[in-house]
Amino acid sequence: MTIKLYCFGESGNAYKAALALELSGLDWEPVKVDFFGGETRTPDYRAQINTLGEAPVMIDEDIKLTQSGVIQDYVSEKSGKFGGRDAAERREILRWVLWDNHKLSSMAGMTRFLMNFLPEAKQPKEVIAFNQARLAATYDLLNTHLQGRDWIVGDGLTNADLSCCGYLYYPEPFGFVREDHPNIDAWLTRLSQVDGWKSPYDLMPGSPADRT
């Protein structure tokens, strides 16, 4: 049975799950969630798809999972890819997935939303500046970690990479400039050269162009 991923192109968290599925070789298909039309806030969506009112959501026969990190873990279990070679490596991958969720994706996702999906008059400039200052330190940490490394953990692509890259391929400005962080830039280029890689708007349905 084909795995279904409820997702939308603008979501970096959905992209993490979609990219893991795409690169794993598992049979899957995206199901567009009309986030900007309010679908995730409807009673039907919360009752039938996700009580938390979020995307992504993965459905594989009778298994339903939410949260990108959990979906990535399931993809690894089912495909044998991206999960690490031993217990120590799996824990290190989990450490970076949790770090990304707390320090990188949460801040980058919110800052990108405030800067690009709100009318300019409603953009909280002080909040954006505060978030960007915190993100600058986060980018520096990741850039330093990647010095002399091809991948975040071990010697191959793992869920640590698939999680941390989630928002960094998006074209909308939110304060991240790849050229300012050469190790991150090289890592993102390396990841995009993996067979089967696709950018967010090519991998999932939905983009800002749909609403213009």
Side-chain angles (χ1 to χ4, degrees):
M1 181 177 177
T2 300
I3 297 171
K4 297 184 183 299
L5 184 72
Y6 287 76
C7 58
F8 58 102
E10 297 92 337
S11 169
N13 287 317
Y15 180 55
K16 301 172 192 180
L19 189 58
L21 283 163
E22 184 72 11
L23 298 181
S24 73
L26 296 175
D27 184 26
W28 77 286
E29 64 181 17
V31 178
K32 183 180 179 180
V33 175
D34 186 9
F35 174 83
F36 290 93
E39 182 179 357
T40 60
R41 296 186 292 277
T42 64
D44 282 349
Y45 187 90
R46 292 179 180 243
Q48 299 175 23
I49 306 300
N50 187 358
T51 57
L52 300 178
E54 297 176 342
V57 178
M58 187 213 76
I59 298 178
D60 185 13
E61 298 190 34
D62 60 344
I63 296 174
K64 180 189 290 185
L65 298 175
T66 69
Q67 303 298 317
S68 60
V70 176
I71 295 170
Q72 287 174 325
D73 182 71
Y74 178 82
V75 170
S76 290
E77 180 182 332
K78 188 158 186 171
S79 70
K81 299 180 179 180
F82 317 132
R85 296 173 298 182
D86 54 34
E89 200 164 277
R90 287 193 295 274
R91 286 191 294 270
E92 182 68 0
I93 291 167
L94 178 60
R95 185 171 79 101
W96 279 98
V97 169
L98 295 174
W99 175 85
D100 163 67
N101 287 187
H102 179 57
K103 296 288 190 179
L104 178 52
S105 283
S106 58
M107 278 286 171
M110 178 57 67
T111 305
R112 173 172 161 268
F113 180 84
L114 295 176
M115 292 179 65
N116 297 279
F117 301 115
L118 287 182
E120 186 171 0
K122 294 185 177 182
Q123 294 176 7
K125 304 299 184 182
E126 292 184 357
V127 173
I128 291 170
F130 176 81
N131 287 357
Q132 288 179 329
R134 292 196 65 181
L135 280 166
T138 300
Y139 301 143
D140 285 345
L141 190 152
L142 181 58
N143 190 70
T144 298
H145 176 75
L146 285 166
Q147 179 68 40
R149 297 173 181 266
D150 286 344
W151 307 104
I152 293 177
V153 177
D155 58 5
L157 179 65
T158 71
N159 286 327
D161 304 289
L162 297 175
S163 188
C164 289
C165 80
Y167 280 93
L168 302 184
Y169 285 115
Y170 279 94
E172 299 86 12
F174 57 94
F176 173 66
V177 179
R178 283 177 59 160
E179 292 75 14
D180 292 343
H181 308 281
N183 298 325
I184 295 178
D185 182 38
W187 164 70
L188 290 172
T189 297
R190 190 176 303 114
L191 206 167
S192 69
Q193 293 170 343
V194 171
D195 188 37
W197 178 90
K198 294 180 181 178
S199 64
Y201 295 136
D202 290 332
L203 186 57
M204 300 178 292
S207 77
D210 297 339
R211 300 187 300 281
T212 57

